[in-house]
Amino acid sequence: MQGKIGLEEHFAIPDTLMDSAGFVPDDHWPELEARLFDIHGKRLELMDKHGMEMMILSLNAPAVQAIVDPVKANEIARRANDYLAEQVAKRPDRFQAFAALPMQDPDMAIRELERCMKDLGMRGALVNGFSQANSPENCLYYDMPQYWPFWEVVQKLDAPFYLHPRNPIASWAQIYEGHSWLMGPTWAFGQETAVHALRLMGSGLFDAYPGLKVVLGHMGEGLPFSMWRVDNRNAWVKTTPKYKAKRRIADYFHENFWLTTSGNFRTQTLIDAMLEIGSDRILFSTDWPFENVDHAADWFDTASISEADRVKIGRTNAQKLFKLTNE
Ligand code: MN
């Protein structure tokens, strides 16, 4: 399929590069480093070769979210966003941008989101899970009350918010002890991000701000497969839910969430996501440079779905969600 648009597509700046070390063996690091720094070279060649018209670019992970000092986090976010805006300005027909945000301080995050959306023309924000603020052990999740003014601004700006994975910190990851192979994209990323998304759904955030649009990668971090059970376990026991939100968790999943195919190139999984959330809320992505554009595109272009759904997932859903057509 030609004209595909991807929205989980990363780059790095020197300040954040080393956050991506350790996710591939040492002998692959020079290649990953080159891929992260490149925007207009090999990346564009691969896009041309595999029918990708556009990437909405975002900073690597955990990057800003792991910078404990809020002032420093704000400084690095601004530096990354300024650099990204310059790169997008060179080829706005091929690249658009997500803002990195210093979520350590909700007021700073609000100011940077407003600057990125209004002054730099960005399409939304991509945040790498919880933020560590003031102490490495202080992990902040965005259902917490101090973030609700931030979400009010996100809704007002109609800015899609991509909740991207990061690993849990060591003291919160005892379950993986002795099994470091489970960290990262193998398992821990999905677990961490799915729980964060469920916290948002259960908090009542989407009752207060029903216009919020949250995007999850990796075909929904396992949530489509589990969503029915979240609401229906022990259904013979008639009790009111223990969470603050007013409706079933699945209602928020169906109305406030969008999913991408990043790093999860499996037709069986796509079909499950389509049956749970619908093809209007699934969007093509690769997770470049951690996954290959050809692996994503070769799979997607031939996956056993209707051509109408392929066009929606590959292109038109992204055009609608990010308002890429009417200008
Ligand atoms: Mn990613």
Side-chain angles (χ1 to χ4, degrees), residues 227-288:
M227 191 46 62
W228 186 88
R229 183 163 160 80
V230 167
D231 283 318
N232 291 281
R233 83 282 173 275
N234 311 134
W236 61 278
V237 180
K238 302 298 179 196
T239 55
T240 49
K242 291 178 179 167
Y243 53 73
K244 290 181 186 154
K246 292 183 181 145
R247 302 163 68 195
R248 296 185 317 149
I249 295 298
D251 291 339
Y252 306 107
F253 190 61
H254 294 152
E255 291 175 24
N256 295 96
F257 282 76
W258 280 255
L259 315 180
T260 78
T261 67
S262 63
N264 204 342
F265 314 135
R266 179 72 166 162
T267 304
Q268 286 86 334
T269 314
L270 173 61
I271 300 285
D272 178 60
M274 289 166 75
L275 289 171
E276 181 60 45
I277 202 168
S279 58
D280 291 334
R281 288 173 174 270
I282 303 173
L283 305 98
F284 176 76
S285 290
T286 75
D287 212 351
W288 175 263

Side-chain angles (χ1 to χ4, degrees), residues 8 10 164-165 218 262 287 290:
E8 190 184 320
H10 307 297
H164 182 274
H218 316 107
S262 63
D287 212 351
F290 302 99

Side-chain angles (χ1 to χ4, degrees), residues 11-236:
F11 72 101
I13 59 173
D15 304 273
T16 65
L17 174 71
M18 293 314 289
D19 283 21
S20 294
F23 286 108
V24 291
D26 287 348
D27 61 337
H28 285 66
W29 174 243
E31 165 72 12
L32 182 57
E33 179 180 11
R35 287 180 176 201
L36 278 161
F37 280 150
D38 164 68
I39 292 187
H40 303 282
K42 182 178 178 181
R43 185 185 299 254
L44 259 183
E45 275 172 36
L46 287 166
M47 290 165 66
D48 288 340
K49 191 172 170 197
H50 299 286
M52 272 188 95
E53 183 176 313
M54 180 177 285
M55 286 186 175
I56 305 180
L57 299 174
S58 53
L59 194 59
N60 63 326
V64 175
Q65 269 57 67
I67 301 172
V68 170
D69 174 5
V71 173
K72 179 78 174 168
N74 189 48
E75 181 192 321
I76 298 298
R78 287 180 64 99
R79 186 177 303 165
N81 290 332
D82 286 343
Y83 169 78
L84 179 54
E86 280 170 28
Q87 299 309 312
V88 167
K90 291 178 189 170
R91 288 306 301 271
D93 56 329
R94 306 303 299 277
F95 298 116
Q96 290 291 314
F98 280 126
L101 296 180
M103 298 294 286
Q104 287 81 351
D105 180 320
D107 290 331
M108 284 181 182
I110 287 171
R111 283 201 295 278
E112 186 59 5
L113 179 64
E114 286 179 331
R115 187 180 81 94
C116 287
M117 297 290 289
K118 291 176 180 169
D119 302 344
L120 302 181
M122 293 193 178
R123 299 292 168 171
L126 183 140
V127 167
N128 295 310
F130 63 87
S131 286
Q132 290 157 275
N134 301 310
S135 148
E137 297 292 316
N138 185 32
C139 299
L140 301 178
Y141 287 81
Y142 309 133
D143 56 287
M144 297 166 94
Q146 64 265 42
Y147 288 103
W148 287 40
F150 166 81
W151 290 114
E152 185 176 351
V153 174
V154 173
Q155 177 177 271
K156 196 170 75 189
L157 294 171
D158 197 21
F161 181 97
Y162 203 125
L163 185 64
H164 182 274
R166 65 174 296 182
N167 271 323
I169 62 170
S171 59
W172 291 33
Q174 292 98 330
I175 195 172
Y176 300 116
E177 207 173 305
H179 296 269
S180 60
W181 64 277
L182 285 167
M183 297 298 274
T186 307
W187 192 259
F189 275 1
Q191 155 81 14
E192 170 66 38
T193 312
V195 172
H196 198 162
L198 287 166
R199 287 179 61 133
L200 297 179
M201 290 180 237
S203 70
L205 182 69
F206 301 108
D207 297 320
Y209 306 112
L212 289 177
K213 298 170 176 174
V214 179
V215 184
L216 298 174
H218 316 107
M219 217 76 88
E221 313 290 4
L223 286 172
F225 196 81
S226 300
M227 191 46 62
W228 186 88
R229 183 163 160 80
V230 167
D231 283 318
N232 291 281
R233 83 282 173 275
N234 311 134
W236 61 278

